Amino acid sequence: MAHAHINDKPFPRGALIGAGLLIGLCLALTATVRLTGMTIGWEPEPAVLAQSEQAVNLNFVDRTQGGIAVYDADTDRQLMVLEPNTNGFMRGVMRGLVRQRMLQGLGAEEPFRLAQAADGRLWLSDPATGEQVYLGAFGQTNRQAFAQLLATAMADKGN
């Protein structure tokens, strides 16, 4: 039985040079962004959120056994409960926002704000940290989870 040796053919020099150039380009672009303070991404203008057609302030409260209760912060009315092992997208978004608060030494006193702009864009923002999450960026199914929450809150308010 013949055994092929891996060293019988040298690795193509052009591929190595191309990979090296690609790595160098990535490092150069990363350094440029870091050193210039340039931001990559898109955030709404403050006016977009201020002129929201529909908005609700929300508190998220941990429950026993892994559940999360979602309350309208203005009325203290419970809007929904995220049962354990469900609503992974909502949990993930909230985990990220709460992590930012913890890094800045902030607590849960100030509510989060879920707002839909006049053009239909849906945002979740944290006034305590200034963080904003454009929920449309994660696909229609994930956006819909928060849109349903907003619809429930608006129905409770009679809007």
Side-chain angles (χ1 to χ4, degrees):
M1 181 164 157
H3 294 280
H5 293 282
I6 203 160
N7 292 333
D8 286 348
K9 292 185 180 180
F11 198 82
R13 187 172 188 202
L16 287 174
I17 292 171
L21 289 173
L22 183 60
I23 291 169
L25 177 64
C26 289
L27 290 173
L29 289 174
T30 301
T32 300
V33 169
R34 290 280 184 158
L35 295 174
T36 64
M38 181 188 318
T39 59
I40 298 177
W42 181 78
E43 293 186 21
E45 299 172 21
V48 171
L49 294 177
Q51 298 171 359
S52 301
E53 284 192 355
Q54 296 181 329
V56 63
N57 295 317
L58 300 171
N59 286 323
F60 294 81
V61 179
D62 289 330
R63 296 180 61 178
T64 59
Q65 315 232 334
I68 299 173
V70 184
Y71 291 90
D72 181 325
D74 298 327
T75 64
D76 204 33
R77 187 170 195 295
Q78 183 175 302
L79 300 173
M80 74 180 337
V81 174
L82 307 177
E83 296 297 338
N85 301 316
T86 65
N87 299 293
F89 175 68
M90 291 179 84
R91 287 172 179 272
V93 169
M94 294 313 304
R95 199 173 298 125
L97 291 175
V98 169
R99 181 177 181 274
Q100 284 301 317
R101 282 188 178 190
M102 287 175 31
L103 290 173
Q104 294 181 27
L106 303 172
E109 297 79 27
E110 190 164 358
F112 297 94
R113 183 163 180 82
L114 179 61
Q116 182 170 323
D119 62 5
R121 290 180 292 165
L122 192 61
W123 298 91
L124 182 64
S125 61
D126 183 358
T129 64
E131 293 288 320
Q132 299 174 355
V133 179
Y134 171 54
L135 298 166
F138 299 98
Q140 186 60 28
T141 303
N142 290 326
R143 179 197 178 281
Q144 189 59 34
F146 280 97
Q148 182 59 46
L149 179 58
L150 181 61
T152 300
M154 293 292 95
D156 285 350
K157 292 181 179 189
N159 293 346

